[in-house]
Amino acid sequence: NTHLVMHGSSAVPQDWLAIINDNGGANGIGTVNTPLNNFKGSVYEGGTRVPMIIAGPGLPENDTYHEPIHSIDILPTCLEAGGAIPPADIDGVSLIPHLKGTTTEPPHEVLTIRSESKVGVRKGKWKLTSNSTSAPFSLFDLSSDIGESTNLANANPEIVEELLKDFTAFEV
């Protein structure tokens, strides 16, 4: 759930630079994550959606990439930028073909977030969350509700089931 801004300028002619926040603003210190819900350490957008800035040769200048990416993508991206081939069994994917526009497919069909008993599953516009093993799941349409304020789980049980299957497949 990283928001990526690219800058392909001559200021960084042969080097790559990536700057990323770890996970949302901390609670209790005056942080404002509006319009995102919640804070650092949560599975909601306020705890998972962070900016990333990447600069390198061949990237479009002053562009924004809108598909969700994950910090696990940094290593394979760095490997490819350095001329190495990322191992096939690595968790992340190289973002270079996505950033350069040589592929239009999103880097990930499903992204999962787990922190102890908290779970988040993102697929397309849908996000499924739960804050504990005893809490019910909530479903949000991020394309129209970035603040995760309207729980659509009861109205979309088939989407909940699909995302739970995706999460279970990831956990196995």
Side-chain angles (χ1 to χ4, degrees):
N1 276 354
T2 300
H3 183 95
L4 183 62
V5 178
M6 297 176 285
H7 184 69
S9 91
S10 59
V12 188
Q14 295 183 6
D15 297 324
W16 286 78
L17 173 68
I19 302 169
I20 186 171
N21 188 13
D22 64 343
N23 55 12
N27 193 10
I29 60 168
T31 302
V32 178
N33 285 341
T34 306
L36 305 178
N37 182 21
N38 227 287
F39 297 92
K40 182 176 186 162
S42 80
V43 293
Y44 295 102
E45 292 297 285
T48 61
R49 182 181 289 253
V50 296
M52 178 178 183
I53 300 170
I54 189 166
L59 292 182
E61 290 194 30
N62 303 314
D63 201 0
T64 302
Y65 185 74
H66 294 282
E67 293 292 338
I69 61 172
H70 196 287
S71 59
I72 61 174
D73 300 327
I74 294 173
L75 177 58
T77 302
C78 289
L79 288 171
E80 184 173 334
I85 299 171
D89 61 348
I90 200 166
D91 284 335
V93 300
S94 173
L95 298 173
I96 292 175
H98 303 278
L99 304 180
K100 289 185 174 183
T102 56
T103 182
T104 58
E105 294 295 318
H108 303 278
E109 182 182 356
V110 177
L111 288 174
T112 61
I113 305 142
R114 179 187 266 285
S115 177
E116 300 167 3
S117 61
K118 301 177 217 169
V119 173
V121 184
R122 170 90 189 261
K123 185 175 189 177
K125 68 179 187 174
W126 296 106
K127 185 166 179 191
L128 186 71
T129 62
S130 177
N131 274 320
S132 73
T133 54
S134 61
F137 282 93
S138 298
L139 179 69
F140 304 101
D141 177 350
L142 296 180
S143 68
S144 61
D145 182 18
I146 196 70
E148 298 164 303
S149 60
T150 304
N151 182 359
L152 302 172
N154 290 337
N156 296 280
E158 69 287 350
I159 302 294
V160 171
E161 183 178 334
E162 177 185 343
L163 292 176
L164 284 173
K165 284 181 184 176
D166 289 333
F167 180 72
T168 302
F170 177 80
E171 287 285 294
V172 173

